């Protein structure tokens, strides 16, 4: 078995910076964490998790292991230990009863968030590098209904993309409906989004040192 690599000083600094930024934006009761993806992180997958993830590519399995390692720790903090978070046939993670959560990763960083069900009905998270979104991708995801507000102009598209990814993760467990980017209208200034089904979602985000958007659905909001 390959053991996870030791993080470099730069990786540790980025993890600390992002962890602080996430803690600053998370609603009360929502726990967040992050981890630089490194060689050997696939070893953090529990047997049931490893079996549920069909991807054979080492990079994908490392990222999945890193995200679930974070989630295991967050769950332990709220008294939920020794529980697997397998991948469901839809691709979303299966959380323990009474828990809302979400996982995400880009090529270098993994993030996770969990909360007991109660005030919140669902969570979604996405992480992206803090660089401009390519114009061709922005043309695919942005609609006339979207508002980027006071977001930095060079990162508005990237934050918008991340927001729609996070919103989809938050609403799919509730509605079980496939949504395209055109089916989600985001207003970053208002910190909210609405889907074509009328589902309303709240949004918070940070942009240093990476773009991370946290989406959440308030219980009984609809």
């Amino acid at each position: 078995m390959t053991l996870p690599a030791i993080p470099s000083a730069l990786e540790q600094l980025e993890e600390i910076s992002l962890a602080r930024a996430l803690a600053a934006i998370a609603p009360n009761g929502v726990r967040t964490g992050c981890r630089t993806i490194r060689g050997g992180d696939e070893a953090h997958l529990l047997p049931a998790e490893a079996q549920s993830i069909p991807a054979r590519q080492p990079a994908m399995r490392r990222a999945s292991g890193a995200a679930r390692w974070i989630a295991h720790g967050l769950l332990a903090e709220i008294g939920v230990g020794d529980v697997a978070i397998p991948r469901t046939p839809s691709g979303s993670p299966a959380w323990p009863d009474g828990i809302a959560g979400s996982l995400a990763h880009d090529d270098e960083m993994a993030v996770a968030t969990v909360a007991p069900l109660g005030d919140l009905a669902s969570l979604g998270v996405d992480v992206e590098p803090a660089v401009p979104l390519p114009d061709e991708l922005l043309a695919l995801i942005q609609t006339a209904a979207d508002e980027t507000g006071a977001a930095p102009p060079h990162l508005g598209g990237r934050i918008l993309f991340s927001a729609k990814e996070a919103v989809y993760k938050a609403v799919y467990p509730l509605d079980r409906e496939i949504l395209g980017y055109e089916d989600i209208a985001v207003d970053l200034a208002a910190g909210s989004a609405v889907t074509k089904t009328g589902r309303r979602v709240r949004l918070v985000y940070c942009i240093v040192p990476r773009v991370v958007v946290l989406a959440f659905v308030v219980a009984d909001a609809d």
Side-chain angles (χ1 to χ4, degrees), residues 33 94 146:
D146 295 321

Side-chain angles (χ1 to χ4, degrees), residues 42-52 68 72 82-85:
E42 63 274 16
H44 292 302
L45 291 169
L46 299 178
E49 295 168 346
Q51 186 176 8
S52 72
R68 282 169 170 79
H72 294 156
D82 299 321
V83 60
I85 310 167

Side-chain angles (χ1 to χ4, degrees), residues 113-187:
T113 182
V114 304
L117 290 174
D119 292 338
L120 298 184
S122 191
L123 287 168
V125 71
D126 189 66
V127 58
E128 296 284 331
V131 297
L133 192 72
D135 290 342
E136 60 272 22
L137 184 52
L138 181 60
L140 290 175
I141 66 109
Q142 189 171 30
T143 72
D146 295 321
E147 296 286 348
T148 56
H154 70 295
L155 291 179
R158 181 68 67 174
I159 300 168
L160 181 63
F161 173 78
S162 190
K164 294 197 177 193
E165 292 285 327
V167 167
Y168 181 78
K169 291 180 182 181
V171 302
Y172 182 79
L174 302 175
D175 300 334
R176 298 294 174 180
E177 184 164 345
I178 303 297
L179 298 175
Y181 295 117
E182 70 279 4
D183 298 324
I184 303 169
V186 169
D187 186 339

Side-chain angles (χ1 to χ4, degrees), residues 1-75:
M1 180 176 67
T2 302
L3 295 178
I6 298 174
S8 68
L10 182 60
E11 288 173 337
Q12 292 182 54
L13 180 60
E14 184 168 3
E15 287 176 359
I16 292 170
S17 297
L18 185 55
R20 289 174 176 169
L22 289 173
I25 65 172
N28 290 338
V30 175
R31 295 177 182 266
T32 59
C34 61
R35 175 184 176 84
T36 303
I37 301 166
R38 38 198 181 262
D41 273 349
E42 63 274 16
H44 292 302
L45 291 169
L46 299 178
E49 295 168 346
Q51 186 176 8
S52 72
I53 298 171
R56 299 296 181 184
Q57 300 92 333
M60 181 61 72
R61 298 188 75 81
R62 282 195 296 269
S64 295
R68 282 169 170 79
W69 182 87
I70 302 164
H72 294 156
L74 297 176
L75 288 171

